Amino acid sequence: MLYPSANTSYRIDNRKVSNVVINGKPLNKAQIYKIILLSFTANGGDGHRIFKNATGERMDTGLLDIDAFVEFIRTNSPIRRIQQARILQP
């Protein structure tokens, strides 16, 4: 299960995803969305082969995940925890 970004939520029921909401609007299957993943996940790690085999635009920053994370913490400290209900289950 991937954890969605802020202002994004979805429901999981019997391993099926539904009710995807992005910025307060339902998922539009005709729209193209950009996503950001850790390189491990983008390369199929933890069984996420769909990302590794995905077609379309793909950009690799060349940054190691840990280096990007450390830089984010340095730039955005102190980090404020925001609790949101992003994954809804029955």
Side-chain angles (χ1 to χ4, degrees):
M1 177 183 335
L2 298 176
Y3 200 76
S5 300
N7 301 319
T8 304
S9 64
Y10 58 82
R11 176 173 295 283
I12 295 180
D13 191 12
N14 293 326
R15 298 181 60 132
K16 183 178 179 184
V17 174
S18 64
N19 299 340
V20 179
V21 176
I22 301 171
N23 291 325
K25 298 178 184 174
L27 177 75
N28 179 347
K29 292 182 181 182
Q31 184 173 340
I32 295 173
Y33 295 91
K34 291 184 179 184
I35 62 171
I36 298 172
L37 300 168
L38 296 172
S39 59
F40 174 76
T41 308
N43 289 315
D46 275 347
H48 295 286
R49 292 181 300 277
I50 192 167
F51 296 123
K52 181 178 182 178
N53 300 328
T55 60
E57 184 181 345
R58 188 179 187 121
M59 183 179 77
D60 185 344
T61 64
L63 296 172
L64 295 177
D65 297 338
I66 188 65
D67 293 340
F69 180 66
V70 168
E71 182 59 31
F72 177 84
I73 297 296
R74 282 189 186 126
T75 303
N76 295 285
S77 285
I79 302 296
R80 187 172 58 100
R81 181 175 184 249
I82 300 171
Q83 190 167 348
Q84 296 178 328
R86 299 182 194 175
I87 302 174
L88 309 172
Q89 296 180 337

